């Protein structure tokens, strides 16, 4: 049996979770979960983070419609990081881009790789 | 110009960095960097983390030979998470597995997806 309490959380009770698009392998974003977020994500199949800025549960896409349907949740060797394989509806990033990692460092400069979607 | 000082670090001066195999898209691991790790990674092309347990720079593969050659460093919209596209030599995980995320939660149980390499 998997028990969210067996994960290793930081001093704030949080664990980082990487969201990866299951179909393409694209890394979409990283956000944080507490034990209850992990449990809710598994129960509902809707990826549910803990918003550090709002100090509240954050069902991804609840207001924007840009939901993350959980395909599979994985944990790492140290049990202190999660990887959520997801089916992302619409852009994952709050800037309207498909993924949050749209800035690359090339030859010492920042280069923008993705534009906001329509 | 990209300046590592413009990233957003946590209270310990660290930022999480996701390592992704450039050729396959597989998410290999997550570890931490400080500003100097970021600078060294970009200068040397060898991914260099900050080991929280040893409180020391950690040139990935320096002792094991399982180096990570940097293909491209990316940052997210909030500038508080990094994504390193890498060419990984040998297993990325200290358990000898190709990647650290080898445990999946399926039907409430933990399932091991990868075995250690020879």
């Amino acid at each position: 049996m998997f028990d969210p309490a067996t994960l290793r959380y930081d001093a704030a009770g949080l664990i980082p979770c990487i969201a990866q698009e299951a179909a393409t392998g694209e890394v979409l974003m990283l956000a944080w979960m507490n034990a209850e977020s992990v449990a809710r994500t598994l129960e509902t199949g809707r990826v549910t983070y803990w918003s550090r800025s709002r100090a509240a549960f954050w069902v991804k896409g609840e207001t924007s419609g840009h939901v993350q349907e959980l395909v599979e949740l994985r944990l790492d060797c140290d049990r202190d990081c999660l990887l959520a394989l997801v089916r992302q509806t619409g852009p994952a990033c709050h800037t309207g881009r498909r993924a949050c990692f749209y800035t690359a460092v090339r030859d010492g400069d920042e280069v923008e790789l993705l534009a906001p979607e329509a």
Side-chain angles (χ1 to χ4, degrees), chain A residues 66-117:
Chain A
H66 302 151
V67 299
Q68 289 181 343
E69 182 189 347
L70 183 69
V71 174
E72 184 163 274
L73 191 66
R74 297 184 186 165
L75 41 134
D76 79 346
C77 49
D78 293 328
R79 306 180 76 83
D80 64 0
C81 185
L82 297 171
L83 174 65
L85 302 183
V86 305
R87 270 187 287 270
Q88 171 72 48
T89 298
C93 183
H94 75 286
T95 65
R97 293 171 176 85
R98 197 172 66 232
C100 294
F101 297 95
Y102 55 81
T103 305
V105 181
R106 291 183 180 168
D107 299 324
D109 284 318
E110 297 188 17
V111 177
E112 194 171 304
L113 306 177
L114 294 174
E117 301 188 349

